[in-house]
Amino acid sequence: MAIQDNLDFFYQKIKNTTTKLLAVSKTHSPELILEAYQTGCKVFAENRVQELVQKYETLPKDIEWHLIGTLQSNKVKYIAEFVHLIHSIDKFSLLEEVNKQAKKCNRVIDCLLQIHIAEEETKFGFDFEEAYQLLQDSKFETLENICIKGVMGMATFTDNTTQIRNEFRSLKDFFEKIKNQINKKNVVMKEISMGMSSDYEIAIEEGSTYIRVGSAIFGKR
Ligand SMILES: *Cc1c(COP(=O)(O)O)cnc(C)c1O
């Protein structure tokens, strides 16, 4: 069974590291996800809200669902009740909306700040400086129903492994800086979400706590 072999390969890779495996199931059928689930994998990530909600409703309820894609404020309400971690906070206004919806559900939603570490212009996220300012903002402190658990980043799509490593390292350095300098109730720095099918090995070496792996587990999309 190919999926099981692929998962085992990754469990072997992260053994004795601080890294956890996030199986990116976007575009794949509930049946395929169930196949992975039945081998013991219970942590999945999607990048579109509608697809995430549909899969949440169909699949076993002990699955931990992560959102890794761009999130529009008007869609937060659909996932607020069940989402485990939102990796893709890229605006203060989005964080405010997550806080509002979390409050309605009487829970705290864990979030990561998506940081722009790649060279490409098209990638979403905050600059380091913007993210740091956000956490310093007095308005931020009033958000009691969100908790910033760390940062997420995507490296440049390139064969230059030195560049990828430097980008991951810059994210890890920023993580450490926030951890050491920001002392707020709703900031509990624990997670660094970095590394995908093409660059997870470098990410693990650079201290990733979540690698987000799709095609290397489920095959081509
Ligand atoms: C699709 C996606 C991944 C996984 O990509 P693969 O190359 O298939 O491993 C990781 N992170 C984000 C944000 C994604 O959208």
Side-chain angles (χ1 to χ4, degrees):
M1 214 165 58
I3 289 185
Q4 172 144 33
D5 291 344
N6 295 343
L7 285 166
D8 285 344
F9 171 85
F10 279 99
Y11 291 136
Q12 206 55 38
K13 284 275 176 196
I14 61 179
K15 213 168 140 188
N16 304 320
T17 73
T18 55
T19 313
K20 301 175 282 293
L21 177 66
L22 199 47
V24 178
S25 48
K26 65 186 186 199
T27 76
H28 295 294
S29 68
E31 290 72 24
L32 209 62
I33 299 173
L34 203 55
E35 192 179 323
Y37 174 87
Q38 279 156 354
T39 76
C41 178
K42 307 224 157 144
V43 187
F44 295 92
E46 291 282 332
N47 71 332
R48 290 179 62 245
V49 166
Q50 197 185 356
E51 201 175 329
L52 174 58
V53 171
Q54 276 169 4
K55 287 172 177 171
Y56 165 72
E57 283 169 356
T58 352
L59 288 159
K61 287 296 174 286
D62 62 338
I63 289 179
E64 191 182 286
W65 290 104
H66 294 236
L67 185 78
I68 57 173
T70 312
L71 176 59
Q72 289 171 332
S73 288
N74 61 356
K75 296 196 173 158
V76 175
K77 56 178 177 283
Y78 302 119
I79 59 168
E81 217 165 70
F82 68 89
V83 71
H84 182 80
L85 180 64
I86 299 174
H87 292 234
S88 43
I89 298 294
D90 61 358
K91 284 186 203 76
F92 186 72
S93 58
L94 175 60
L95 203 54
E96 288 180 306
E97 178 63 16
V98 173
N99 186 69
K100 181 176 149 191
Q101 297 299 333
K103 199 169 203 160
K104 280 191 191 167
C105 300
N106 199 19
R107 62 176 294 220
V108 172
I109 297 181
D110 289 339
C111 297
L112 306 182
L113 297 180
Q114 184 171 346
I115 311 288
H116 182 119
I117 54 171
E119 197 172 73
E120 292 128 17
E121 288 291 331
T122 53
K123 299 258 162 93
F124 293 90
F126 296 103
D127 296 340
F128 292 125
E129 191 52 36
E130 285 170 343
Y132 195 80
Q133 290 303 326
L134 180 153
L135 298 173
Q136 299 276 44
D137 197 313
S138 57
K139 270 197 297 184
F140 172 76
E141 280 176 43
T142 66
L143 306 179
E144 293 180 338
N145 292 77
I146 58 97
C147 185
I148 298 295
K149 282 292 174 72
V151 291
M152 183 271 241
M154 267 186 274
T156 304
F157 189 71
T158 173
D159 291 335
N160 183 343
T161 55
T162 309
Q163 180 176 356
I164 294 171
R165 188 178 297 281
N166 286 338
E167 289 173 358
F168 285 154
R169 205 166 277 182
S170 72
L171 188 62
K172 162 90 166 162
D173 289 346
F174 182 67
F175 169 89
E176 295 293 344
K177 179 179 160 180
I178 298 176
K179 195 175 157 142
N180 294 327
Q181 297 181 8
I182 307 256
N183 182 14
K184 308 227 157 149
K185 252 198 284 190
N186 54 356
V187 180
V188 182
M189 296 301 280
K190 287 213 159 89
E191 310 294 357
I192 308 173
S193 169
M194 60 184 188
M196 316 183 10
S197 294
S198 56
D199 54 18
Y200 66 87
E201 280 193 291
I202 305 173
I204 294 170
E205 286 165 12
E206 296 303 327
S208 170
T209 69
Y210 276 119
I211 48 171
R212 309 178 308 268
V213 181
S215 45
I217 295 172
F218 297 107
K220 279 216 184 77
R221 285 185 293 272

Short mmCIF file of all heavy atoms in Angstrom, two decimals, residues 76-128:
data_model
loop_
_atom_site.label_atom_id
_atom_site.label_comp_id
_atom_site.label_asym_id
_atom_site.label_seq_id
_atom_site.Cartn_x
_atom_site.Cartn_y
_atom_site.Cartn_z
N VAL A 76 -14.15 32.53 7.85
CA VAL A 76 -13.65 32.04 9.14
C VAL A 76 -14.76 31.32 9.91
O VAL A 76 -14.53 30.28 10.53
CB VAL A 76 -13.08 33.20 9.99
CG1 VAL A 76 -12.69 32.71 11.38
CG2 VAL A 76 -11.89 33.85 9.30
N LYS A 77 -15.97 31.84 9.80
CA LYS A 77 -17.09 31.27 10.58
C LYS A 77 -17.35 29.80 10.28
O LYS A 77 -17.83 29.07 11.13
CB LYS A 77 -18.36 32.09 10.36
CG LYS A 77 -18.82 32.25 8.93
CD LYS A 77 -20.14 33.04 8.90
CE LYS A 77 -20.64 33.31 7.49
NZ LYS A 77 -19.90 34.41 6.82
N TYR A 78 -17.00 29.37 9.08
CA TYR A 78 -17.27 27.96 8.72
C TYR A 78 -16.32 26.97 9.39
O TYR A 78 -16.62 25.78 9.48
CB TYR A 78 -17.19 27.79 7.20
CG TYR A 78 -18.16 28.67 6.44
CD1 TYR A 78 -17.70 29.61 5.53
CD2 TYR A 78 -19.54 28.56 6.66
CE1 TYR A 78 -18.59 30.44 4.84
CE2 TYR A 78 -20.43 29.38 5.99
CZ TYR A 78 -19.95 30.31 5.08
OH TYR A 78 -20.83 31.12 4.41
N ILE A 79 -15.17 27.43 9.82
CA ILE A 79 -14.18 26.50 10.38
C ILE A 79 -13.91 26.73 11.87
O ILE A 79 -13.20 25.96 12.51
CB ILE A 79 -12.84 26.58 9.61
CG1 ILE A 79 -12.25 28.00 9.66
CG2 ILE A 79 -13.02 26.13 8.17
CD1 ILE A 79 -10.80 28.08 9.19
N ALA A 80 -14.51 27.81 12.40
CA ALA A 80 -14.16 28.25 13.77
C ALA A 80 -14.42 27.18 14.82
O ALA A 80 -13.69 27.08 15.81
CB ALA A 80 -14.91 29.52 14.11
N GLU A 81 -15.42 26.38 14.58
CA GLU A 81 -15.81 25.41 15.60
C GLU A 81 -14.80 24.28 15.76
O GLU A 81 -14.64 23.72 16.83
CB GLU A 81 -17.16 24.81 15.22
CG GLU A 81 -18.07 24.56 16.38
CD GLU A 81 -19.49 24.31 15.89
OE1 GLU A 81 -19.73 23.25 15.28
OE2 GLU A 81 -20.32 25.20 16.10
N PHE A 82 -14.12 23.93 14.68
CA PHE A 82 -13.35 22.68 14.74
C PHE A 82 -11.88 22.81 14.36
O PHE A 82 -11.11 21.89 14.62
CB PHE A 82 -14.01 21.62 13.84
CG PHE A 82 -13.94 21.92 12.37
CD1 PHE A 82 -12.85 21.47 11.62
CD2 PHE A 82 -14.93 22.65 11.72
CE1 PHE A 82 -12.77 21.74 10.26
CE2 PHE A 82 -14.85 22.92 10.37
CZ PHE A 82 -13.78 22.47 9.64
N VAL A 83 -11.47 23.89 13.71
CA VAL A 83 -10.10 23.93 13.19
C VAL A 83 -9.09 23.85 14.35
O VAL A 83 -9.28 24.46 15.41
CB VAL A 83 -9.87 25.18 12.31
CG1 VAL A 83 -9.84 26.47 13.13
CG2 VAL A 83 -8.59 25.04 11.48
N HIS A 84 -8.04 23.07 14.15
CA HIS A 84 -7.05 22.87 15.22
C HIS A 84 -5.99 23.98 15.23
O HIS A 84 -5.60 24.46 16.28
CB HIS A 84 -6.37 21.51 15.04
CG HIS A 84 -5.38 21.19 16.11
ND1 HIS A 84 -5.75 20.73 17.35
CD2 HIS A 84 -4.03 21.31 16.15
CE1 HIS A 84 -4.67 20.57 18.10
NE2 HIS A 84 -3.61 20.90 17.40
N LEU A 85 -5.53 24.34 14.03
CA LEU A 85 -4.50 25.37 13.92
C LEU A 85 -4.60 26.04 12.56
O LEU A 85 -4.65 25.35 11.54
CB LEU A 85 -3.10 24.73 14.10
CG LEU A 85 -1.87 25.63 14.02
CD1 LEU A 85 -1.85 26.66 15.15
CD2 LEU A 85 -0.59 24.81 14.06
N ILE A 86 -4.64 27.37 12.56
CA ILE A 86 -4.63 28.12 11.30
C ILE A 86 -3.20 28.59 11.06
O ILE A 86 -2.65 29.37 11.86
CB ILE A 86 -5.60 29.33 11.36
CG1 ILE A 86 -7.03 28.85 11.60
CG2 ILE A 86 -5.50 30.15 10.08
CD1 ILE A 86 -8.04 29.99 11.83
N HIS A 87 -2.59 28.11 9.98
CA HIS A 87 -1.18 28.42 9.71
C HIS A 87 -1.01 29.73 8.94
O HIS A 87 0.11 30.19 8.75
CB HIS A 87 -0.53 27.32 8.85
CG HIS A 87 -0.37 26.01 9.55
ND1 HIS A 87 0.83 25.35 9.64
CD2 HIS A 87 -1.27 25.21 10.18
CE1 HIS A 87 0.68 24.21 10.29
NE2 HIS A 87 -0.60 24.09 10.63
N SER A 88 -2.11 30.27 8.43
CA SER A 88 -2.01 31.28 7.37
C SER A 88 -2.60 32.64 7.75
O SER A 88 -3.27 33.26 6.94
CB SER A 88 -2.69 30.74 6.12
OG SER A 88 -3.93 30.10 6.47
N ILE A 89 -2.30 33.11 8.95
CA ILE A 89 -2.74 34.46 9.32
C ILE A 89 -1.82 35.46 8.64
O ILE A 89 -0.60 35.47 8.88
CB ILE A 89 -2.69 34.65 10.86
CG1 ILE A 89 -3.63 33.68 11.57
CG2 ILE A 89 -2.99 36.12 11.22
CD1 ILE A 89 -5.11 33.89 11.31
N ASP A 90 -2.39 36.29 7.76
CA ASP A 90 -1.56 37.23 7.00
C ASP A 90 -2.03 38.68 7.10
O ASP A 90 -1.51 39.55 6.41
CB ASP A 90 -1.43 36.79 5.54
CG ASP A 90 -2.77 36.73 4.83
OD1 ASP A 90 -3.81 36.98 5.47
OD2 ASP A 90 -2.77 36.43 3.62
N LYS A 91 -3.02 38.92 7.98
CA LYS A 91 -3.51 40.30 8.18
C LYS A 91 -4.02 40.44 9.61
O LYS A 91 -4.59 39.49 10.15
CB LYS A 91 -4.72 40.57 7.28
CG LYS A 91 -4.42 40.82 5.84
CD LYS A 91 -5.72 41.21 5.12
CE LYS A 91 -5.62 40.92 3.65
NZ LYS A 91 -5.77 39.49 3.34
N PHE A 92 -3.89 41.63 10.15
CA PHE A 92 -4.42 41.85 11.49
C PHE A 92 -5.94 41.70 11.50
O PHE A 92 -6.52 41.12 12.42
CB PHE A 92 -4.01 43.23 12.02
CG PHE A 92 -4.44 43.43 13.45
CD1 PHE A 92 -3.80 42.76 14.48
CD2 PHE A 92 -5.49 44.28 13.76
CE1 PHE A 92 -4.19 42.92 15.80
CE2 PHE A 92 -5.90 44.45 15.08
CZ PHE A 92 -5.25 43.77 16.09
N SER A 93 -6.59 42.22 10.46
CA SER A 93 -8.06 42.14 10.40
C SER A 93 -8.55 40.69 10.39
O SER A 93 -9.61 40.38 10.92
CB SER A 93 -8.58 42.89 9.18
OG SER A 93 -8.02 42.35 8.00
N LEU A 94 -7.77 39.82 9.78
CA LEU A 94 -8.13 38.40 9.77
C LEU A 94 -8.05 37.82 11.19
O LEU A 94 -8.93 37.07 11.62
CB LEU A 94 -7.20 37.63 8.83
CG LEU A 94 -7.35 36.11 8.77
CD1 LEU A 94 -8.76 35.71 8.32
CD2 LEU A 94 -6.31 35.50 7.82
N LEU A 95 -7.04 38.21 11.90
CA LEU A 95 -6.88 37.74 13.28
C LEU A 95 -8.04 38.23 14.15
O LEU A 95 -8.56 37.49 15.00
CB LEU A 95 -5.55 38.29 13.82
CG LEU A 95 -4.90 37.54 14.97
CD1 LEU A 95 -4.70 36.07 14.65
CD2 LEU A 95 -3.56 38.20 15.30
N GLU A 96 -8.49 39.45 13.91
CA GLU A 96 -9.64 39.98 14.65
C GLU A 96 -10.89 39.17 14.37
O GLU A 96 -11.69 38.90 15.26
CB GLU A 96 -9.87 41.45 14.27
CG GLU A 96 -8.82 42.39 14.83
CD GLU A 96 -9.08 43.84 14.43
OE1 GLU A 96 -9.23 44.10 13.22
OE2 GLU A 96 -9.13 44.70 15.32
N GLU A 97 -11.06 38.79 13.11
CA GLU A 97 -12.24 37.99 12.74
C GLU A 97 -12.17 36.59 13.35
O GLU A 97 -13.16 36.06 13.83
CB GLU A 97 -12.37 37.92 11.21
CG GLU A 97 -13.53 37.09 10.70
CD GLU A 97 -14.92 37.60 11.10
OE1 GLU A 97 -15.02 38.78 11.51
OE2 GLU A 97 -15.89 36.82 11.01
N VAL A 98 -10.98 35.99 13.35
CA VAL A 98 -10.81 34.68 13.97
C VAL A 98 -11.16 34.78 15.46
O VAL A 98 -11.86 33.92 16.02
CB VAL A 98 -9.37 34.13 13.77
CG1 VAL A 98 -9.16 32.84 14.57
CG2 VAL A 98 -9.08 33.88 12.30
N ASN A 99 -10.70 35.86 16.08
CA ASN A 99 -10.99 36.07 17.49
C ASN A 99 -12.50 36.16 17.75
O ASN A 99 -13.03 35.54 18.67
CB ASN A 99 -10.30 37.36 17.95
CG ASN A 99 -10.43 37.58 19.44
OD1 ASN A 99 -9.84 36.85 20.23
ND2 ASN A 99 -11.23 38.56 19.83
N LYS A 100 -13.17 36.92 16.89
CA LYS A 100 -14.62 37.11 17.03
C LYS A 100 -15.38 35.77 16.88
O LYS A 100 -16.25 35.45 17.70
CB LYS A 100 -15.07 38.09 15.94
CG LYS A 100 -16.53 38.43 15.94
CD LYS A 100 -16.82 39.48 14.87
CE LYS A 100 -18.23 39.32 14.31
NZ LYS A 100 -18.42 40.15 13.10
N GLN A 101 -15.00 35.01 15.87
CA GLN A 101 -15.70 33.74 15.64
C GLN A 101 -15.35 32.71 16.73
O GLN A 101 -16.19 31.90 17.10
CB GLN A 101 -15.37 33.19 14.25
CG GLN A 101 -15.83 34.08 13.10
CD GLN A 101 -17.34 34.29 13.08
OE1 GLN A 101 -18.12 33.46 13.56
NE2 GLN A 101 -17.77 35.42 12.52
N ALA A 102 -14.13 32.75 17.20
CA ALA A 102 -13.72 31.83 18.27
C ALA A 102 -14.52 32.12 19.54
O ALA A 102 -14.94 31.19 20.26
CB ALA A 102 -12.23 31.97 18.54
N LYS A 103 -14.73 33.39 19.80
CA LYS A 103 -15.50 33.81 20.96
C LYS A 103 -16.92 33.25 20.89
O LYS A 103 -17.45 32.73 21.87
CB LYS A 103 -15.54 35.34 21.01
CG LYS A 103 -15.90 35.92 22.35
CD LYS A 103 -15.64 37.42 22.34
CE LYS A 103 -15.44 37.95 23.73
NZ LYS A 103 -14.73 39.24 23.70
N LYS A 104 -17.52 33.34 19.70
CA LYS A 104 -18.87 32.81 19.51
C LYS A 104 -18.92 31.31 19.81
O LYS A 104 -19.94 30.79 20.24
CB LYS A 104 -19.33 33.01 18.05
CG LYS A 104 -19.83 34.40 17.75
CD LYS A 104 -20.49 34.40 16.38
CE LYS A 104 -20.77 35.83 15.93
NZ LYS A 104 -21.11 35.89 14.49
N CYS A 105 -17.84 30.62 19.52
CA CYS A 105 -17.78 29.17 19.76
C CYS A 105 -17.25 28.87 21.16
O CYS A 105 -17.03 27.71 21.49
CB CYS A 105 -16.88 28.49 18.74
SG CYS A 105 -17.38 28.70 17.06
N ASN A 106 -16.99 29.93 21.90
CA ASN A 106 -16.52 29.75 23.26
C ASN A 106 -15.21 28.96 23.33
O ASN A 106 -15.05 28.04 24.14
CB ASN A 106 -17.61 29.06 24.09
CG ASN A 106 -17.40 29.24 25.56
OD1 ASN A 106 -16.68 30.14 25.99
ND2 ASN A 106 -18.01 28.38 26.36
N ARG A 107 -14.29 29.29 22.43
CA ARG A 107 -13.00 28.60 22.44
C ARG A 107 -11.87 29.55 22.08
O ARG A 107 -12.13 30.71 21.71
CB ARG A 107 -13.02 27.40 21.46
CG ARG A 107 -13.24 27.79 20.00
CD ARG A 107 -13.15 26.58 19.08
NE ARG A 107 -11.78 26.03 19.07
CZ ARG A 107 -11.15 25.58 17.97
NH1 ARG A 107 -11.74 25.60 16.80
NH2 ARG A 107 -9.93 25.11 18.03
N VAL A 108 -10.67 29.07 22.21
CA VAL A 108 -9.49 29.81 21.77
C VAL A 108 -8.96 29.09 20.54
O VAL A 108 -8.78 27.87 20.55
CB VAL A 108 -8.40 29.84 22.87
CG1 VAL A 108 -7.10 30.43 22.33
CG2 VAL A 108 -8.89 30.63 24.08
N ILE A 109 -8.75 29.82 19.45
CA ILE A 109 -8.21 29.20 18.24
C ILE A 109 -6.71 29.52 18.13
O ILE A 109 -6.29 30.67 18.19
CB ILE A 109 -8.95 29.68 16.98
CG1 ILE A 109 -10.42 29.27 17.05
CG2 ILE A 109 -8.30 29.12 15.71
CD1 ILE A 109 -11.25 29.67 15.82
N ASP A 110 -5.93 28.46 17.97
CA ASP A 110 -4.48 28.61 17.81
C ASP A 110 -4.15 29.04 16.38
O ASP A 110 -4.75 28.51 15.42
CB ASP A 110 -3.77 27.30 18.13
CG ASP A 110 -3.81 26.97 19.62
OD1 ASP A 110 -4.02 27.91 20.43
OD2 ASP A 110 -3.65 25.79 19.98
N CYS A 111 -3.22 29.96 16.25
CA CYS A 111 -2.87 30.53 14.95
C CYS A 111 -1.36 30.66 14.79
O CYS A 111 -0.65 30.83 15.78
CB CYS A 111 -3.46 31.93 14.81
SG CYS A 111 -5.25 32.04 14.83
N LEU A 112 -0.91 30.59 13.55
CA LEU A 112 0.47 30.93 13.23
C LEU A 112 0.48 32.17 12.34
O LEU A 112 -0.44 32.35 11.54
CB LEU A 112 1.16 29.78 12.48
CG LEU A 112 1.14 28.39 13.11
CD1 LEU A 112 1.91 27.40 12.24
CD2 LEU A 112 1.72 28.42 14.52
N LEU A 113 1.47 33.00 12.49
CA LEU A 113 1.64 34.13 11.58
C LEU A 113 2.41 33.64 10.36
O LEU A 113 3.50 33.06 10.49
CB LEU A 113 2.42 35.25 12.27
CG LEU A 113 1.77 35.89 13.50
CD1 LEU A 113 2.68 36.98 14.06
CD2 LEU A 113 0.39 36.46 13.17
N GLN A 114 1.81 33.86 9.20
CA GLN A 114 2.52 33.49 7.96
C GLN A 114 3.49 34.60 7.60
O GLN A 114 3.11 35.75 7.45
CB GLN A 114 1.53 33.25 6.83
CG GLN A 114 2.24 32.76 5.58
CD GLN A 114 1.30 32.30 4.49
OE1 GLN A 114 0.11 32.09 4.72
NE2 GLN A 114 1.83 32.13 3.29
N ILE A 115 4.75 34.20 7.49
CA ILE A 115 5.81 35.18 7.23
C ILE A 115 6.35 35.00 5.82
O ILE A 115 6.60 33.87 5.38
CB ILE A 115 6.98 35.01 8.23
CG1 ILE A 115 6.47 34.93 9.68
CG2 ILE A 115 7.99 36.13 8.06
CD1 ILE A 115 5.96 36.20 10.26
N HIS A 116 6.52 36.10 5.15
CA HIS A 116 7.06 36.08 3.79
C HIS A 116 8.58 35.93 3.86
O HIS A 116 9.29 36.87 4.19
CB HIS A 116 6.68 37.41 3.12
CG HIS A 116 7.13 37.52 1.72
ND1 HIS A 116 6.26 37.68 0.68
CD2 HIS A 116 8.35 37.46 1.16
CE1 HIS A 116 6.93 37.74 -0.45
NE2 HIS A 116 8.21 37.61 -0.18
N ILE A 117 9.06 34.72 3.57
CA ILE A 117 10.52 34.51 3.62
C ILE A 117 11.10 34.29 2.23
O ILE A 117 12.31 34.30 2.05
CB ILE A 117 10.90 33.32 4.53
CG1 ILE A 117 10.16 32.04 4.12
CG2 ILE A 117 10.62 33.65 6.00
CD1 ILE A 117 10.66 30.78 4.83
N ALA A 118 10.24 34.06 1.25
CA ALA A 118 10.72 33.74 -0.10
C ALA A 118 11.04 35.01 -0.89
O ALA A 118 10.60 36.10 -0.57
CB ALA A 118 9.68 32.92 -0.85
N GLU A 119 11.81 34.78 -1.93
CA GLU A 119 12.20 35.86 -2.83
C GLU A 119 11.01 36.29 -3.69
O GLU A 119 10.86 37.45 -4.01
CB GLU A 119 13.27 35.26 -3.73
CG GLU A 119 14.13 36.20 -4.49
CD GLU A 119 15.24 35.39 -5.15
OE1 GLU A 119 14.94 34.68 -6.14
OE2 GLU A 119 16.38 35.46 -4.68
N GLU A 120 10.17 35.33 -4.04
CA GLU A 120 9.07 35.61 -4.97
C GLU A 120 8.09 36.63 -4.41
O GLU A 120 7.78 36.63 -3.23
CB GLU A 120 8.29 34.31 -5.28
CG GLU A 120 9.10 33.31 -6.07
CD GLU A 120 9.11 31.93 -5.43
OE1 GLU A 120 8.26 31.66 -4.57
OE2 GLU A 120 9.98 31.13 -5.79
N GLU A 121 7.58 37.44 -5.29
CA GLU A 121 6.64 38.48 -4.90
C GLU A 121 5.26 37.93 -4.59
O GLU A 121 4.49 38.54 -3.85
CB GLU A 121 6.48 39.50 -6.05
CG GLU A 121 7.71 40.38 -6.26
CD GLU A 121 7.91 41.36 -5.13
OE1 GLU A 121 6.90 41.75 -4.51
OE2 GLU A 121 9.07 41.73 -4.86
N THR A 122 4.94 36.79 -5.16
CA THR A 122 3.56 36.31 -5.14
C THR A 122 3.14 35.66 -3.81
O THR A 122 1.98 35.48 -3.56
CB THR A 122 3.33 35.27 -6.25
OG1 THR A 122 4.32 34.27 -6.12
CG2 THR A 122 3.43 35.91 -7.62
N LYS A 123 4.12 35.30 -3.00
CA LYS A 123 3.76 34.59 -1.78
C LYS A 123 3.14 35.54 -0.74
O LYS A 123 3.58 36.67 -0.60
CB LYS A 123 5.01 33.91 -1.19
CG LYS A 123 5.60 32.88 -2.15
CD LYS A 123 5.26 31.45 -1.77
CE LYS A 123 5.47 30.48 -2.91
NZ LYS A 123 6.76 29.85 -2.92
N PHE A 124 2.16 35.04 -0.03
CA PHE A 124 1.46 35.84 0.97
C PHE A 124 2.27 35.92 2.27
O PHE A 124 3.21 35.17 2.46
CB PHE A 124 0.10 35.21 1.28
CG PHE A 124 -0.84 35.25 0.12
CD1 PHE A 124 -0.87 34.21 -0.80
CD2 PHE A 124 -1.70 36.33 -0.05
CE1 PHE A 124 -1.75 34.25 -1.88
CE2 PHE A 124 -2.57 36.38 -1.12
CZ PHE A 124 -2.60 35.33 -2.04
N GLY A 125 1.86 36.80 3.13
CA GLY A 125 2.45 36.81 4.46
C GLY A 125 2.97 38.17 4.89
O GLY A 125 3.05 39.10 4.10
N PHE A 126 3.30 38.26 6.17
CA PHE A 126 3.88 39.47 6.74
C PHE A 126 5.38 39.50 6.48
O PHE A 126 6.03 38.46 6.39
CB PHE A 126 3.73 39.46 8.27
CG PHE A 126 2.32 39.50 8.78
CD1 PHE A 126 1.71 38.35 9.26
CD2 PHE A 126 1.61 40.69 8.81
CE1 PHE A 126 0.42 38.38 9.76
CE2 PHE A 126 0.32 40.74 9.31
CZ PHE A 126 -0.28 39.58 9.78
N ASP A 127 5.94 40.71 6.46
CA ASP A 127 7.38 40.85 6.62
C ASP A 127 7.69 40.64 8.10
O ASP A 127 6.80 40.80 8.93
CB ASP A 127 7.84 42.27 6.25
CG ASP A 127 7.60 42.57 4.78
OD1 ASP A 127 7.45 41.60 4.02
OD2 ASP A 127 7.54 43.76 4.43
N PHE A 128 8.96 40.38 8.42
CA PHE A 128 9.33 40.21 9.82
C PHE A 128 8.91 41.43 10.65
O PHE A 128 8.35 41.30 11.73
CB PHE A 128 10.84 40.01 9.95
CG PHE A 128 11.33 38.71 9.39
CD1 PHE A 128 12.34 38.68 8.43
CD2 PHE A 128 10.79 37.51 9.83
CE1 PHE A 128 12.79 37.47 7.92
CE2 PHE A 128 11.25 36.29 9.32
CZ PHE A 128 12.24 36.28 8.36
#
